[in-house]
């Protein structure tokens, strides 16, 4: 059976990503990758083996707009609950 | 409901709550409600030198809506159980 | 509610969405975690000066504005000389 045929609504895509590594984009210029273990209708998530990436844009004084330097901070967490109101998107693992 | 139940199973464990104002508070989880409001005991603010505001506070109530993350004790989270419960809850919510 | 019951008649610290810190005695609360404080004071933090306490008296704080409510240990609190504490204010809530 074509696996895509079991996807009828958006949440099915997340359901099929359970126990897989997912990419999550969050408000506040944050991104996560981690293994998805639980979610609910608010897109609250529980992930393990998480790496968080925070983008910090420093716009130097007098620099033209859009010429800021981007600093990236990374952090690892073993097991993490993510509140759904900060979630922008959840992307399943790449199949390449 | 699922995530609420997960937090209930973590009662009396030490967790770290990161708020949307970048404050991180670690403490022993005493209770949680349906809004995911959280009661913590024996709290410690991370980077206390920068945040002396809570020096005299030993336990607190955190409003669920201001939580960004909660780092959980991985050894007390059964990921297989979580995934099964998530699939079960997703199945009951197909017809909305 | 993960219950504010234990905080009634206790001295508490409220941290608000805009970063303000208010101490007072919790006179009451409701389902929406609206809170009434008596004898309340705002603690204003700054790097350059010690903490300034501004009396506010009887205060009703809307639940939506509240980030955190902490019970104050009076002995610990009295042991601190606020005028010697220099700190950045708590940042406001953003994502």
């Amino acid at each position: 059976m074509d696996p895509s045929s079991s996807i009828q609504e958006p949440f099915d895509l997340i359901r099929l990503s359970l126990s897989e590594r997912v990419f999550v984009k969050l408000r506040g210029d944050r991104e996560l990758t981690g293994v998805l273990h639980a979610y609910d209708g608010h897109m609250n998530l529980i992930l393990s083996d998480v790496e968080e990436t925070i983008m910090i844009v420093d716009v130097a004084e007098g620099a033209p707009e859009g010429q800021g330097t981007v600093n990236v901070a990374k952090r690892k967490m073993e097991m993490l609950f993510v509140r759904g109101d900060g979630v922008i998107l959840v992307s399943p693992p790449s199949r390449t | 409901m699922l995530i609420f139940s997960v937090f209930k199973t973590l009662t009396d464990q030490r967790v770290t709550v990161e708020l949307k104002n970048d404050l991180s508070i670690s403490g022993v989880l005493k209770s949680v409600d349906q809004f995911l409001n959280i009661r913590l005991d024996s709290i410690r603010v991370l980077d206390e030198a920068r945040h002396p505001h809570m020096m005299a506070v030993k336990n607190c109530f955190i409003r669920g809506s201001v939580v960004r993350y909660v780092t959980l004790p991985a050894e007390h989270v059964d990921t297989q159980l979580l995934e099964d419960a998530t699939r079960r809850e997703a199945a009951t919510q197909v017809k909305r | 509610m993960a219950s504010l019951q234990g905080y009634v008649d206790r001295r508490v610290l409220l941290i608000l969405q805009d970063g303000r810190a208010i101490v007072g005695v919790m006179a009451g609360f409701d389902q929406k975690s609206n809170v009434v404080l008596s004898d309340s004071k705002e603690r204003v933090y700054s790097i350059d000066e010690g903490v300034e306490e501004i009396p506010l008296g009887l205060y009703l704080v809307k639940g939506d504005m509240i980030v955190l409510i902490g019970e104050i240990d009076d002995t610990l609190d009295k042991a601190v000389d606020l005028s010697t504490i220099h700190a950045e204010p708590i940042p406001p809530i953003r994502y």
Side-chain angles (χ1 to χ4, degrees):
Chain A
M1 194 178 94
D2 175 12
S4 66
S5 67
S6 58
I7 298 184
Q8 259 107 45
E9 52 170 296
F11 272 104
D12 290 342
L13 192 66
I14 305 183
R15 180 169 46 85
L16 293 172
S17 306
L18 277 170
S19 80
E20 307 247 25
R21 184 162 282 277
V22 294
F23 169 83
V24 182
K25 191 170 163 59
L26 296 171
R27 296 173 71 157
D29 302 317
R30 288 163 197 267
E31 295 173 356
L32 304 173
T33 65
V35 180
L36 181 67
H37 299 296
Y39 68 86
D40 66 11
H42 303 288
M43 275 205 213
N44 292 320
L45 310 171
I46 296 177
L47 305 168
S48 72
D49 191 16
V50 182
E51 184 174 75
E52 183 196 39
T53 308
I54 312 173
M55 262 76 71
I56 304 152
V57 182
D58 285 329
V59 182
E61 267 180 72
E65 189 139 342
Q67 294 282 296
T69 53
V70 180
N71 283 310
V72 175
K74 282 187 190 283
R75 260 199 308 176
K76 285 185 199 282
M77 281 87 83
E78 207 179 348
M79 187 68 68
L80 188 70
F81 160 78
V82 182
R83 191 166 165 100
D85 57 3
V87 175
I88 294 171
L89 70 85
V90 180
S91 161
S94 56
R95 313 250 180 230
T96 51
Chain B
M1 259 352 226
L2 172 84
I3 302 279
F4 173 45
S5 308
V6 174
F7 276 110
K8 277 200 286 190
T9 67
L10 293 171
T11 306
D12 292 325
Q13 302 298 332
R14 186 163 275 277
V15 297
T16 302
V17 182
E18 181 174 320
L19 308 182
K20 289 171 186 158
N21 59 11
D22 290 333
L23 223 58
S24 284
I25 301 168
S26 107
V28 178
L29 185 65
K30 287 324 274 186
S31 68
V32 63
D33 66 19
Q34 72 225 6
F35 305 114
L36 306 182
N37 297 324
I38 290 173
R39 276 279 312 261
L40 293 181
D41 250 9
S42 312
I43 65 161
R44 217 170 43 222
V45 176
L46 276 66
D47 198 359
E48 195 157 39
R50 266 193 69 195
H51 303 291
H53 317 74
M54 313 247 300
M55 262 189 312
V57 175
K58 286 285 146 277
N59 67 78
C60 70
F61 166 96
I62 298 170
R63 217 153 181 282
S65 60
V66 300
V67 171
R68 180 185 293 138
Y69 301 137
V70 183
T71 36
L72 310 173
E75 65 277 20
H76 293 283
V77 178
D78 182 336
T79 55
Q80 190 57 56
L81 205 75
L82 273 185
E83 290 166 21
D84 294 345
T86 302
R87 285 195 188 91
R88 234 177 296 123
E89 188 165 272
T92 66
Q93 305 213 324
V94 168
K95 296 276 168 266
R96 257 169 299 176
Chain C
M1 266 335 236
S3 197
L4 293 170
Q5 193 55 57
Y7 294 129
V8 173
D9 292 335
R10 305 288 177 85
R11 282 233 307 148
V12 292
L13 166 73
L14 259 60
I15 294 178
L16 306 187
Q17 300 254 2
D18 58 7
R20 278 187 292 166
I22 297 173
V23 297
V25 177
M26 190 184 293
F29 69 91
D30 68 11
Q31 308 288 0
K32 294 157 113 178
S33 61
N34 299 316
V35 167
V36 175
L37 294 181
S38 65
D39 190 26
S40 62
K41 300 180 183 80
E42 178 176 351
R43 287 186 176 171
V44 182
Y45 288 82
S46 81
I47 285 287
D48 303 324
E49 287 169 64
V51 179
E52 188 187 353
E53 279 199 329
I54 299 168
L56 301 172
L58 192 62
Y59 222 56
L60 178 132
V61 185
K62 206 162 178 259
D64 303 344
M65 289 298 299
I66 294 171
V67 171
L68 175 151
I69 301 174
E71 184 184 352
I72 292 176
D73 183 318
D74 273 318
T75 8
L76 280 175
D77 198 49
K78 290 207 174 81
V80 177
D81 180 358
L82 285 175
S83 66
T84 65
I85 304 286
H86 294 234
E88 300 252 16
I90 295 166
I93 291 281
R94 288 175 305 129
Y95 272 89

